Amino acid sequence: MARKHSKHGPYEDLQQDEEAPVAIVACWLCGRPTGKTVVWHHPVPKSRGGRDVVPMHPICQQTLTANFTNSELQRHGMDVDGLLADPAVRKFVDWVANKDPDFTATTTKKQR
């Protein structure tokens, strides 16, 4: 039997106002404002019990996953300064500092 009244209200209420300001958040790794694409990254990987998420640029997340294993990320946890102590990550953050928030490029894997 069909419902008499909608559980969620009329469809007109579901449309969002396009004039609403969008909150700009800073990237967890590099500190630059995020662009159109925001990746919600687990500093401690989910496979290692991480639940917290932080906003990041896609290129910043790719750099972290290319330079650290899950166990290394687990050891660093929410400590950004520990990650920035790595020379490859510091070099990347210094390089990307003046780039556009939506800048993308390919990242190379760390030689292990």
Side-chain angles (χ1 to χ4, degrees):
M1 187 176 217
R3 292 182 188 260
K4 205 175 222 185
H5 300 287
S6 174
K7 192 174 182 179
H8 300 289
Y11 288 113
E12 294 84 36
D13 293 343
L14 296 177
Q15 294 177 356
Q16 295 180 355
D17 185 20
E18 292 183 21
E19 300 296 322
V22 177
I24 298 175
V25 293
C27 177
W28 180 71
L29 183 65
C30 70
R32 298 179 302 135
T34 55
K36 294 177 186 174
T37 305
V38 178
V39 174
W40 292 95
H41 174 73
H42 291 268
V44 176
K46 287 174 64 176
S47 64
R48 303 294 178 147
R51 295 187 185 272
D52 297 331
V53 292
V54 293
M56 292 182 75
H57 295 105
I59 192 169
C60 294
Q61 185 197 29
Q62 291 168 4
T63 300
L64 278 188
T65 57
N67 287 295
F68 296 103
T69 63
N70 282 350
S71 55
E72 290 171 332
L73 288 174
Q74 180 185 10
R75 275 184 253 133
H76 287 291
M78 296 292 287
D79 182 27
V80 176
D81 295 330
L83 296 171
L84 293 175
D86 184 82
V89 175
R90 171 49 64 187
K91 183 178 176 182
F92 165 78
V93 169
D94 292 342
W95 172 73
V96 82
N98 297 323
K99 304 286 190 244
D100 183 57
D102 291 317
F103 174 77
T104 60
T106 57
T107 55
T108 60
K109 290 272 185 191
K110 181 179 181 180
Q111 299 295 325
R112 297 187 200 264

